[in-house]
Amino acid sequence: MGQDHADAATATSAVPPVAARREADTQTDRSWVEARVWTAPMLAALESGVKGGRWYSLMDKVWALQTLQAAWERVQAANGAHGVDQMSVRRFGQNAEGYLRELSQALATGRYRPQPLRRVDIPKASGGQRPLGIPTVKDRVVQAALKLVIEPIFEREFEPTSWGFRPRRGCKDALREVDRHLKAGRTWVVDADVQACFDSIDHERLMRLVERRISDGKVLALLRLLLKQEVLQGLQCWTPAQGTPQGAVISPLLANVFLHELDVVMRERGHALVRYADDFVVLCDTQAQADAALAHIRQWTDSVGLRLHPQKTRVGNCLLSGQGFEFLGYRFEAGRRDARGKSQQALRDRVRLRTRRTSGQSLARIIEQLNPLLRGWFGYFKHGQARTLATLDAFVRRRLRSILCKREGRSYVYHRSRYNHQRWPNAFFAEQGLFTMYQAWLQASQSR
């Protein structure tokens, strides 16, 4: 038996069979599929399989008015910024029926051409910049319609180890899966980081993967148009040679189609992969298994034109200090799970924006703006360390005391003094309705 197969056999013995997990997986539930697009006969064909495994005659579903209407409803709910044509979601909505009819006719006659993406750079928690390509509202509707039509076809075969940008799956599900593996003793972790994954996807390889399931030439042509969509930033305009733009409606699905091969490779090798879009970890029983998993990942990424970040890809035993890993906002280290430092800093920065000392808003109004932020953050990170929550609560109260101190004409140095704690104790802010994460954690712990 070769070393690769020996490693796979050893790893497989520790990982629950994929088939067993699939039986109870939500991907077998098709209630999320848009009924205005996928009729009962189409769903039956999806379940039983179409001839040759490839779908024909899908374009008429894309340009159908009921599909475009369903797509528009999703775009409208997501809102979002305008594209290069300056048309907002609200303005589109004022004549949605007319615009949808125009789009339907353009798609049906082959006249549809997407406008350039508006390129913007947004700051990343790491300090860098993340490029976003913002389509026009019209193009977002077309992409959403295309997604409604083709997503069920690919969703049927996606692996249960993939959690990102899929129906009825999310970050918390992926984190629970990580917890499950860690509790089973798989503490040797491959923490892999693919450099610029979305921007590095090879167009021709991606289209070959799509063509395995779709043979409608018009749908394939539309996909190629979207992949080759021009990008406009300032006075510069260019056509991307590779990649699928972050910010486009269709991009997460296409990325999952591309990365599905990795899921299959890991499953065939017997590795416990947990993937959320391009962020993934592999959890193993031993260092030997983790080293083998990383080798398999490198082999696959090299074969498809992707590259692992040399400084951010590592193998470690997360039970040991200094060898932990970060995944979806959390840090797992030394047997504990907590909000990672960048996640905490991001919250502090957002709190600062809402609690400037020069704010002229009433305390009640400031607290009203803070509470949804704090509740949302707690809802995601409530499984972290209670001490972290208490520390962040104290930070919020210091910011509020600083505002109140300034309004009384006291200098900034007073905001940490014993006087201010006596003047505005913690109970004062509770009476004003300030959401306290530590108290919420205590209540949740008691109920559990």
Side-chain angles (χ1 to χ4, degrees), residues 168-222:
R168 297 187 177 177
R169 287 174 162 240
C171 294
K172 293 182 180 180
D173 301 309
L175 290 166
R176 277 191 286 267
E177 188 71 356
V178 169
D179 271 340
R180 184 178 72 83
H181 287 300
L182 292 176
K183 289 175 181 176
R186 301 179 193 107
T187 60
W188 280 94
V189 180
V190 181
D191 184 8
D193 185 281
V194 181
Q195 282 188 312
C197 180
F198 276 69
D199 294 332
S200 303
I201 289 176
D202 181 83
H203 287 173
E204 292 308 313
R205 184 179 185 89
L206 172 61
M207 289 304 301
R208 287 196 297 271
L209 294 173
V210 172
E211 289 166 6
R212 290 179 183 177
R213 296 290 172 258
I214 296 176
S215 288
D216 188 320
K218 292 181 179 179
V219 168
L220 297 174
L222 177 59

Side-chain angles (χ1 to χ4, degrees), residues 124-194:
K124 296 171 61 176
S126 60
Q129 296 287 320
R130 183 187 305 278
L132 288 184
I134 303 176
T136 65
V137 178
K138 290 183 180 180
D139 292 337
R140 294 208 289 272
V141 170
V142 171
Q143 291 188 32
L146 179 60
K147 182 172 180 283
L148 287 174
V149 173
I150 69 173
E151 183 175 36
I153 297 171
F154 294 102
E155 182 64 28
R156 182 176 181 271
E157 63 184 39
F158 284 162
E159 295 288 324
T161 51
S162 165
W163 298 93
F165 303 104
R166 294 183 58 190
R168 297 187 177 177
R169 287 174 162 240
C171 294
K172 293 182 180 180
D173 301 309
L175 290 166
R176 277 191 286 267
E177 188 71 356
V178 169
D179 271 340
R180 184 178 72 83
H181 287 300
L182 292 176
K183 289 175 181 176
R186 301 179 193 107
T187 60
W188 280 94
V189 180
V190 181
D191 184 8
D193 185 281
V194 181

